């Protein structure tokens, strides 16, 4: 079994001082461990230097991530930040295609693909989010929706690019709602996503690709979710803002790794 990856998505939360405090608290708690689980912190972009400074410390236990990037390389795109700029700041991971970005900022699968390509060109690992709405699940269309998201983005990558890409399945009805997918639902969809990767890129790539679950994953349910065969870790929103809870989720990753 490969080590789990736990990614904290802070969304648009925390003042600068609070962000620094949260990073320091997580850092202190992780100091007690000899961790194999990989941890990524994705604060708001304006705190990029803060998080990369801490991540670059030789004793650091986490990587710096971001929540978004421009789909363009550079130029007259007021307000945007390029993948090259993130790379210059030593950002190592970046979430793309989060359902909130798809919903509020009109991100299509084509835009998501462009963002992934810009990140890969700059050696940043894209964490591509996919997932269905409640209506889509109720109408039993969830597999089709996720398949389309994968086919229109991931399927356009070369094998070399795919090797450096991660996927996060986040059912929209579970994000920030307190309603988690059951471990069986998460496992079923993650196994399906892995089968899609296998179909396009072969078995080895499918086995090696990190596929995470996100959506109300918390200190209480992480162990059971992470125990599922296809769940390689979690993309954590609300619980990543609480240092004790976030560290418990990381501990769940360690427990599952060492029990298997
Ligand atoms: P949540 O958010 O853990 O608060 O549900 C997850 C996410 O949106 O990445």
């Amino acid at each position: 079994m490969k080590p789990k990856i736990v990614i904290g998505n802070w969304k648009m939360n925390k003042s600068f001082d609070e962000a620094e405090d949260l990073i320091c608290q997580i850092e202190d708690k992780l100091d007690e461990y000899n961790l194999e689980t990989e941890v990524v912190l994705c604060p708001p972009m304006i705190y990029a230097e803060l998080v990369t400074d801490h991540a670059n410390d030789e004793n650091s236990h986490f990587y710096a991530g971001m929540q978004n990037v421009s789909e363009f390389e550079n130029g007259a795109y007021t307000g945007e930040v390029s993948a090259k700029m993130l790379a210059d700041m030593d950002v190592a991971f970046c979430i793309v295609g989060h359902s909130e970005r798809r919903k509020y900022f009109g991100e299509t699968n084509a835009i998501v693909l462009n963002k992934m390509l810009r990140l890969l060109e700059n050696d940043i690992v894209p964490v591509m989010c996919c997932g269905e709405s409640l209506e889509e699940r109720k109408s039993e269309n969830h597999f089709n929706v996720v398949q389309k998201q994968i086919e229109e983005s991931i399927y356009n990558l070369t094998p070399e690019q795919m090797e450096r890409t991660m996927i996060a399945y986040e059912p929209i009805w579970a994000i920030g709602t307190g309603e988690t997918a059951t471990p069986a639902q998460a496992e079923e969809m993650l196994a399906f996503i892995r089968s899609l990767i296998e179909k396009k890129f072969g078995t080895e790539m499918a086995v090696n690709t990190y596929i995470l679950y996100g959506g109300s994953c918390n200190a209480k349910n992480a162990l059971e979710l992470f125990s599922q065969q296809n769940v390689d870790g979690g993309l954590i929103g609300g619980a990543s803002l609480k240092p004790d809870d976030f560290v418990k989720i990381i501990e769940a990753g360690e427990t599952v790794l060492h029990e298997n």
Side-chain angles (χ1 to χ4, degrees):
M1 177 182 274
K2 42 191 195 287
K4 305 288 178 196
I5 294 192
V6 176
I7 303 180
N9 173 14
W10 293 9
K11 310 194 179 182
M12 198 170 73
N13 290 297
K14 301 289 175 192
S15 68
F16 182 84
D17 287 347
E18 289 166 349
E20 185 162 40
D21 187 51
L22 182 52
I23 290 172
C24 291
Q25 285 198 53
I26 293 169
E27 213 164 43
D28 286 351
K29 286 179 198 297
L30 294 185
D31 246 359
E32 299 161 22
Y33 296 90
N34 192 5
L35 279 187
E36 285 179 77
T37 303
E38 297 205 346
V39 180
V40 183
L41 301 185
C42 302
M45 200 179 273
I46 195 155
Y47 307 143
E49 192 166 4
L50 174 69
V51 72
T52 54
D53 271 357
H54 281 266
N56 284 344
D57 186 286
E58 57 179 291
N59 299 316
S60 160
H61 297 286
F62 61 83
Y63 294 95
M66 287 288 121
Q67 303 167 17
N68 184 33
V69 67
S70 173
E71 66 170 308
F72 303 108
E73 271 175 48
N74 68 297
Y77 300 104
T78 300
E80 291 286 273
V81 173
S82 73
K84 168 91 173 57
M85 294 168 190
L86 297 186
D88 283 348
M89 301 300 289
D90 287 337
V91 168
F93 290 79
C94 186
I95 300 166
V96 277
H98 191 282
S99 61
E100 287 152 16
R101 296 219 52 92
R102 292 178 189 262
K103 181 176 171 193
Y104 301 124
F105 304 97
E107 275 186 25
T108 61
N109 291 332
I111 293 174
V112 170
L113 172 63
N114 286 340
K115 293 186 175 202
M116 291 170 69
L117 294 174
R118 298 295 85 76
L119 292 168
L120 289 160
E121 284 158 11
N122 287 281
D123 290 328
I124 297 173
V125 175
V127 181
M128 203 283 290
C129 300
C130 57
E132 80 286 356
S133 67
L134 188 59
E135 300 74 61
E136 288 161 343
R137 180 161 281 262
K138 278 187 178 156
S139 59
E140 293 186 6
N141 211 15
H142 45 299
F143 290 114
N144 291 337
V145 169
V146 170
Q147 180 164 355
K148 190 165 188 287
Q149 289 170 334
I150 300 278
E151 284 178 354
E152 292 184 1
S153 54
I154 295 272
Y155 270 27
N156 292 292
L157 302 180
T158 65
E160 188 274 328
Q161 290 168 329
M162 185 62 220
E163 264 174 24
R164 298 185 284 130
T165 296
M166 292 185 188
I167 300 171
Y169 167 62
E170 298 203 308
I172 297 169
W173 46 272
I175 296 177
T177 57
E179 186 172 343
T180 322
T182 64
Q185 285 172 325
E187 172 62 15
E188 183 185 37
M189 184 58 89
L190 267 60
F192 174 68
I193 294 171
R194 210 176 290 286
S195 76
L196 295 175
I197 302 301
E198 181 167 26
K199 204 156 80 184
K200 171 78 180 172
F201 295 98
T203 307
E204 199 184 338
M205 186 81 82
V207 171
N208 291 338
T209 298
Y210 267 88
I211 311 180
L212 315 181
Y213 169 78
S216 297
C217 181
N218 58 40
K220 289 208 179 86
N221 59 29
L223 188 63
E224 209 186 344
L225 285 164
F226 291 178
S227 301
Q228 306 304 307
Q229 196 191 336
N230 280 288
V231 179
D232 296 324
L235 179 53
I236 319 298
S240 73
L241 299 170
K242 301 177 202 141
D244 288 334
D245 289 21
F246 189 58
V247 170
K248 280 199 190 112
I249 295 169
I250 297 165
E251 282 170 358
E254 291 293 291
T255 305
V256 173
L257 181 66
H258 293 294
E259 275 177 358
N260 285 279

